[in-house]
PDB file of all heavy atoms in Angstrom:
ATOM      1  N   ILE A1033      15.624  13.890   3.407  1.00  0.00           N
ATOM      2  CA  ILE A1033      14.367  14.567   3.537  1.00  0.00           C
ATOM      3  C   ILE A1033      14.377  15.984   3.133  1.00  0.00           C
ATOM      4  O   ILE A1033      13.422  16.579   2.508  1.00  0.00           O
ATOM      5  CB  ILE A1033      13.817  14.417   4.968  1.00  0.00           C
ATOM      6  CG1 ILE A1033      13.447  12.965   5.128  1.00  0.00           C
ATOM      7  CG2 ILE A1033      12.713  15.372   5.276  1.00  0.00           C
ATOM      8  CD1 ILE A1033      12.480  12.690   6.161  1.00  0.00           C
ATOM      9  N   LYS A1058     -24.563  17.292  -1.752  1.00  0.00           N
ATOM     10  CA  LYS A1058     -24.705  15.980  -1.266  1.00  0.00           C
ATOM     11  C   LYS A1058     -25.632  15.072  -1.971  1.00  0.00           C
ATOM     12  O   LYS A1058     -25.401  13.902  -2.114  1.00  0.00           O
ATOM     13  CB  LYS A1058     -25.412  16.382   0.164  1.00  0.00           C
ATOM     14  CG  LYS A1058     -25.519  15.106   1.113  1.00  0.00           C
ATOM     15  CD  LYS A1058     -26.080  15.545   2.502  1.00  0.00           C
ATOM     16  CE  LYS A1058     -26.145  14.180   3.335  1.00  0.00           C
ATOM     17  NZ  LYS A1058     -26.631  14.565   4.663  1.00  0.00           N
ATOM     18  N   ALA A1059     -26.613  15.598  -2.672  1.00  0.00           N
ATOM     19  CA  ALA A1059     -27.526  14.710  -3.380  1.00  0.00           C
ATOM     20  C   ALA A1059     -26.741  14.103  -4.541  1.00  0.00           C
ATOM     21  O   ALA A1059     -27.189  12.941  -4.922  1.00  0.00           O
ATOM     22  CB  ALA A1059     -28.744  15.498  -3.951  1.00  0.00           C
ATOM     23  N   GLN A1064     -26.710   6.604  -5.743  1.00  0.00           N
ATOM     24  CA  GLN A1064     -28.089   6.780  -6.113  1.00  0.00           C
ATOM     25  C   GLN A1064     -28.762   5.210  -6.188  1.00  0.00           C
ATOM     26  O   GLN A1064     -27.976   4.222  -6.374  1.00  0.00           O
ATOM     27  CB  GLN A1064     -28.300   7.491  -7.528  1.00  0.00           C
ATOM     28  CG  GLN A1064     -27.725   8.821  -7.425  1.00  0.00           C
ATOM     29  CD  GLN A1064     -28.470   9.789  -6.387  1.00  0.00           C
ATOM     30  OE1 GLN A1064     -29.757   9.758  -6.413  1.00  0.00           O
ATOM     31  NE2 GLN A1064     -27.729  10.463  -5.483  1.00  0.00           N
ATOM     32  N   GLY A1066     -30.012   1.949  -7.721  1.00  0.00           N
ATOM     33  CA  GLY A1066     -29.786   1.218  -8.857  1.00  0.00           C
ATOM     34  C   GLY A1066     -28.350   1.479  -9.430  1.00  0.00           C
ATOM     35  O   GLY A1066     -28.078   0.970 -10.628  1.00  0.00           O
ATOM     36  N   PHE A1086     -18.640  -3.458   8.913  1.00  0.00           N
ATOM     37  CA  PHE A1086     -18.546  -2.180   8.299  1.00  0.00           C
ATOM     38  C   PHE A1086     -18.241  -1.125   9.488  1.00  0.00           C
ATOM     39  O   PHE A1086     -17.289  -0.275   9.347  1.00  0.00           O
ATOM     40  CB  PHE A1086     -19.703  -1.762   7.719  1.00  0.00           C
ATOM     41  CG  PHE A1086     -19.816  -0.224   7.153  1.00  0.00           C
ATOM     42  CD1 PHE A1086     -19.156   0.158   6.113  1.00  0.00           C
ATOM     43  CD2 PHE A1086     -20.514   0.631   8.066  1.00  0.00           C
ATOM     44  CE1 PHE A1086     -19.045   1.520   5.745  1.00  0.00           C
ATOM     45  CE2 PHE A1086     -20.529   2.057   7.770  1.00  0.00           C
ATOM     46  CZ  PHE A1086     -19.784   2.506   6.607  1.00  0.00           C
ATOM     47  N   ASN A1087     -18.916  -1.224  10.569  1.00  0.00           N
ATOM     48  CA  ASN A1087     -18.676  -0.166  11.747  1.00  0.00           C
ATOM     49  C   ASN A1087     -17.350  -0.311  12.247  1.00  0.00           C
ATOM     50  O   ASN A1087     -16.546   0.683  12.496  1.00  0.00           O
ATOM     51  CB  ASN A1087     -19.674  -0.505  12.768  1.00  0.00           C
ATOM     52  CG  ASN A1087     -20.962   0.288  12.670  1.00  0.00           C
ATOM     53  OD1 ASN A1087     -20.952   1.193  11.816  1.00  0.00           O
ATOM     54  ND2 ASN A1087     -22.043  -0.333  13.215  1.00  0.00           N
ATOM     55  N   GLN A1114      -1.142  10.893  -0.846  1.00  0.00           N
ATOM     56  CA  GLN A1114      -0.259  11.321   0.215  1.00  0.00           C
ATOM     57  C   GLN A1114      -0.497  12.690   0.386  1.00  0.00           C
ATOM     58  O   GLN A1114      -0.914  13.542  -0.301  1.00  0.00           O
ATOM     59  CB  GLN A1114       1.128  11.140  -0.269  1.00  0.00           C
ATOM     60  CG  GLN A1114       1.589  11.817  -1.512  1.00  0.00           C
ATOM     61  CD  GLN A1114       2.881  11.261  -2.103  1.00  0.00           C
ATOM     62  OE1 GLN A1114       2.886  10.435  -2.953  1.00  0.00           O
ATOM     63  NE2 GLN A1114       3.994  11.864  -1.650  1.00  0.00           N
ATOM     64  N   ASN A1130      -4.722  -0.995   5.881  1.00  0.00           N
ATOM     65  CA  ASN A1130      -5.937  -0.934   5.851  1.00  0.00           C
ATOM     66  C   ASN A1130      -6.672  -2.054   5.151  1.00  0.00           C
ATOM     67  O   ASN A1130      -7.794  -2.711   5.545  1.00  0.00           O
ATOM     68  CB  ASN A1130      -6.523   0.390   5.144  1.00  0.00           C
ATOM     69  CG  ASN A1130      -6.183   1.544   5.962  1.00  0.00           C
ATOM     70  OD1 ASN A1130      -5.777   1.568   7.082  1.00  0.00           O
ATOM     71  ND2 ASN A1130      -6.217   2.766   5.359  1.00  0.00           N
ATOM     72  N   SER A1156       4.056  -4.233  12.696  1.00  0.00           N
ATOM     73  CA  SER A1156       3.377  -3.878  13.928  1.00  0.00           C
ATOM     74  C   SER A1156       1.823  -3.809  13.714  1.00  0.00           C
ATOM     75  O   SER A1156       1.097  -4.295  14.529  1.00  0.00           O
ATOM     76  CB  SER A1156       3.929  -2.564  14.509  1.00  0.00           C
ATOM     77  OG  SER A1156       5.289  -2.638  14.727  1.00  0.00           O
ATOM     78  N   TRP A1176       8.635 -11.509 -10.273  1.00  0.00           N
ATOM     79  CA  TRP A1176       7.100 -11.425 -10.458  1.00  0.00           C
ATOM     80  C   TRP A1176       6.370 -12.692 -10.124  1.00  0.00           C
ATOM     81  O   TRP A1176       5.099 -12.687  -9.987  1.00  0.00           O
ATOM     82  CB  TRP A1176       7.109 -10.976 -12.040  1.00  0.00           C
ATOM     83  CG  TRP A1176       7.411  -9.552 -12.275  1.00  0.00           C
ATOM     84  CD1 TRP A1176       8.575  -9.110 -12.812  1.00  0.00           C
ATOM     85  CD2 TRP A1176       6.664  -8.408 -11.754  1.00  0.00           C
ATOM     86  NE1 TRP A1176       8.574  -7.787 -12.738  1.00  0.00           N
ATOM     87  CE2 TRP A1176       7.420  -7.353 -12.143  1.00  0.00           C
ATOM     88  CE3 TRP A1176       5.313  -8.363 -11.234  1.00  0.00           C
ATOM     89  CZ2 TRP A1176       6.941  -6.032 -11.918  1.00  0.00           C
ATOM     90  CZ3 TRP A1176       4.887  -7.034 -10.923  1.00  0.00           C
ATOM     91  CH2 TRP A1176       5.743  -5.866 -11.230  1.00  0.00           C
ATOM     92  N   ASN A1184      -2.618 -11.878  -6.777  1.00  0.00           N
ATOM     93  CA  ASN A1184      -3.688 -12.546  -7.614  1.00  0.00           C
ATOM     94  C   ASN A1184      -4.216 -13.781  -6.812  1.00  0.00           C
ATOM     95  O   ASN A1184      -5.495 -14.029  -6.831  1.00  0.00           O
ATOM     96  CB  ASN A1184      -3.338 -12.925  -8.995  1.00  0.00           C
ATOM     97  CG  ASN A1184      -2.980 -11.664  -9.834  1.00  0.00           C
ATOM     98  OD1 ASN A1184      -3.503 -10.774  -9.695  1.00  0.00           O
ATOM     99  ND2 ASN A1184      -1.874 -11.912 -10.655  1.00  0.00           N
ATOM    100  N   GLU A1186      -3.160 -14.901  -3.333  1.00  0.00           N
ATOM    101  CA  GLU A1186      -3.433 -14.637  -1.787  1.00  0.00           C
ATOM    102  C   GLU A1186      -4.186 -13.331  -1.604  1.00  0.00           C
ATOM    103  O   GLU A1186      -4.590 -13.080  -0.431  1.00  0.00           O
ATOM    104  CB  GLU A1186      -2.021 -14.631  -1.110  1.00  0.00           C
ATOM    105  CG  GLU A1186      -1.388 -15.873  -1.245  1.00  0.00           C
ATOM    106  CD  GLU A1186       0.000 -15.891  -0.424  1.00  0.00           C
ATOM    107  OE1 GLU A1186       0.252 -15.022   0.459  1.00  0.00           O
ATOM    108  OE2 GLU A1186       0.858 -16.786  -0.518  1.00  0.00           O
ATOM    109  N   ASP A1216       1.468  -8.737 -18.673  1.00  0.00           N
ATOM    110  CA  ASP A1216       2.590  -7.807 -18.452  1.00  0.00           C
ATOM    111  C   ASP A1216       1.881  -6.592 -17.745  1.00  0.00           C
ATOM    112  O   ASP A1216       2.568  -5.677 -17.448  1.00  0.00           O
ATOM    113  CB  ASP A1216       3.175  -7.459 -19.808  1.00  0.00           C
ATOM    114  CG  ASP A1216       4.364  -6.547 -19.568  1.00  0.00           C
ATOM    115  OD1 ASP A1216       5.232  -6.873 -18.757  1.00  0.00           O
ATOM    116  OD2 ASP A1216       4.481  -5.438 -20.271  1.00  0.00           O
ATOM    117  N   VAL A1218       0.271  -4.264 -14.845  1.00  0.00           N
ATOM    118  CA  VAL A1218       0.361  -4.126 -13.562  1.00  0.00           C
ATOM    119  C   VAL A1218      -0.653  -2.924 -13.081  1.00  0.00           C
ATOM    120  O   VAL A1218      -0.501  -1.813 -13.499  1.00  0.00           O
ATOM    121  CB  VAL A1218       1.734  -3.843 -13.001  1.00  0.00           C
ATOM    122  CG1 VAL A1218       1.688  -3.749 -11.399  1.00  0.00           C
ATOM    123  CG2 VAL A1218       2.698  -4.968 -13.523  1.00  0.00           C
ATOM    124  N   GLY A1226      -3.624   9.340  -5.584  1.00  0.00           N
ATOM    125  CA  GLY A1226      -4.720   8.755  -4.810  1.00  0.00           C
ATOM    126  C   GLY A1226      -5.765   7.950  -5.642  1.00  0.00           C
ATOM    127  O   GLY A1226      -6.845   7.869  -5.359  1.00  0.00           O
ATOM    128  N   GLN A1234       7.507  -4.603 -17.545  1.00  0.00           N
ATOM    129  CA  GLN A1234       8.578  -4.186 -18.169  1.00  0.00           C
ATOM    130  C   GLN A1234       9.260  -2.895 -17.794  1.00  0.00           C
ATOM    131  O   GLN A1234      10.334  -2.615 -17.499  1.00  0.00           O
ATOM    132  CB  GLN A1234       8.516  -4.315 -19.696  1.00  0.00           C
ATOM    133  CG  GLN A1234       9.756  -3.898 -20.404  1.00  0.00           C
ATOM    134  CD  GLN A1234       9.600  -3.941 -21.949  1.00  0.00           C
ATOM    135  OE1 GLN A1234       8.640  -4.234 -22.417  1.00  0.00           O
ATOM    136  NE2 GLN A1234      10.660  -3.733 -22.761  1.00  0.00           N
ATOM    137  N   PHE A1249       8.270  -5.112  -0.715  1.00  0.00           N
ATOM    138  CA  PHE A1249       7.775  -5.528   0.577  1.00  0.00           C
ATOM    139  C   PHE A1249       6.439  -6.426   0.268  1.00  0.00           C
ATOM    140  O   PHE A1249       5.642  -6.050  -0.387  1.00  0.00           O
ATOM    141  CB  PHE A1249       7.358  -4.515   1.432  1.00  0.00           C
ATOM    142  CG  PHE A1249       8.560  -3.666   1.884  1.00  0.00           C
ATOM    143  CD1 PHE A1249       8.360  -2.451   2.575  1.00  0.00           C
ATOM    144  CD2 PHE A1249       9.851  -4.142   1.865  1.00  0.00           C
ATOM    145  CE1 PHE A1249       9.377  -1.610   3.029  1.00  0.00           C
ATOM    146  CE2 PHE A1249      10.942  -3.301   2.331  1.00  0.00           C
ATOM    147  CZ  PHE A1249      10.668  -2.166   2.929  1.00  0.00           C
ATOM    148  N   TYR A1250       6.412  -7.734   0.859  1.00  0.00           N
ATOM    149  CA  TYR A1250       5.270  -8.411   0.624  1.00  0.00           C
ATOM    150  C   TYR A1250       4.826  -9.037   1.824  1.00  0.00           C
ATOM    151  O   TYR A1250       5.535  -9.128   2.948  1.00  0.00           O
ATOM    152  CB  TYR A1250       5.491  -9.537  -0.259  1.00  0.00           C
ATOM    153  CG  TYR A1250       6.674 -10.570   0.090  1.00  0.00           C
ATOM    154  CD1 TYR A1250       6.173 -11.867   0.686  1.00  0.00           C
ATOM    155  CD2 TYR A1250       7.977 -10.379   0.111  1.00  0.00           C
ATOM    156  CE1 TYR A1250       7.042 -12.818   1.101  1.00  0.00           C
ATOM    157  CE2 TYR A1250       8.830 -11.275   0.502  1.00  0.00           C
ATOM    158  CZ  TYR A1250       8.389 -12.497   0.966  1.00  0.00           C
ATOM    159  OH  TYR A1250       9.367 -13.435   1.442  1.00  0.00           O
ATOM    160  N   ARG A1253       0.915 -14.830   5.601  1.00  0.00           N
ATOM    161  CA  ARG A1253       0.140 -15.095   6.818  1.00  0.00           C
ATOM    162  C   ARG A1253       0.975 -15.611   7.868  1.00  0.00           C
ATOM    163  O   ARG A1253       2.044 -16.441   7.490  1.00  0.00           O
ATOM    164  CB  ARG A1253      -0.909 -16.037   6.373  1.00  0.00           C
ATOM    165  CG  ARG A1253      -2.060 -15.285   5.598  1.00  0.00           C
ATOM    166  CD  ARG A1253      -3.205 -16.318   5.272  1.00  0.00           C
ATOM    167  NE  ARG A1253      -4.316 -15.653   4.748  1.00  0.00           N
ATOM    168  CZ  ARG A1253      -4.467 -15.417   3.340  1.00  0.00           C
ATOM    169  NH1 ARG A1253      -3.424 -16.006   2.586  1.00  0.00           N
ATOM    170  NH2 ARG A1253      -5.480 -14.862   2.776  1.00  0.00           N
ATOM    171  N   TYR A1260       7.316 -19.286  -2.553  1.00  0.00           N
ATOM    172  CA  TYR A1260       7.774 -18.288  -3.563  1.00  0.00           C
ATOM    173  C   TYR A1260       8.807 -17.316  -3.036  1.00  0.00           C
ATOM    174  O   TYR A1260       8.415 -16.638  -1.952  1.00  0.00           O
ATOM    175  CB  TYR A1260       6.420 -17.612  -3.995  1.00  0.00           C
ATOM    176  CG  TYR A1260       5.512 -18.580  -4.802  1.00  0.00           C
ATOM    177  CD1 TYR A1260       4.524 -19.147  -3.952  1.00  0.00           C
ATOM    178  CD2 TYR A1260       5.601 -18.908  -6.167  1.00  0.00           C
ATOM    179  CE1 TYR A1260       3.647 -19.928  -4.669  1.00  0.00           C
ATOM    180  CE2 TYR A1260       4.765 -19.687  -6.697  1.00  0.00           C
ATOM    181  CZ  TYR A1260       3.669 -20.250  -5.924  1.00  0.00           C
ATOM    182  OH  TYR A1260       2.753 -21.205  -6.426  1.00  0.00           O
TER     183      TYR A1260
END
Side-chain angles (χ1 to χ4, degrees):
I1033 290 200
K1058 186 175 182 180
Q1064 302 300 311
F1086 170 79
N1087 276 335
Q1114 60 193 90
N1130 293 346
S1156 297
W1176 291 103
N1184 296 326
E1186 296 184 13
D1216 189 50
V1218 182
Q1234 182 177 3
F1249 291 166
Y1250 68 97
R1253 289 185 175 87
Y1260 296 89

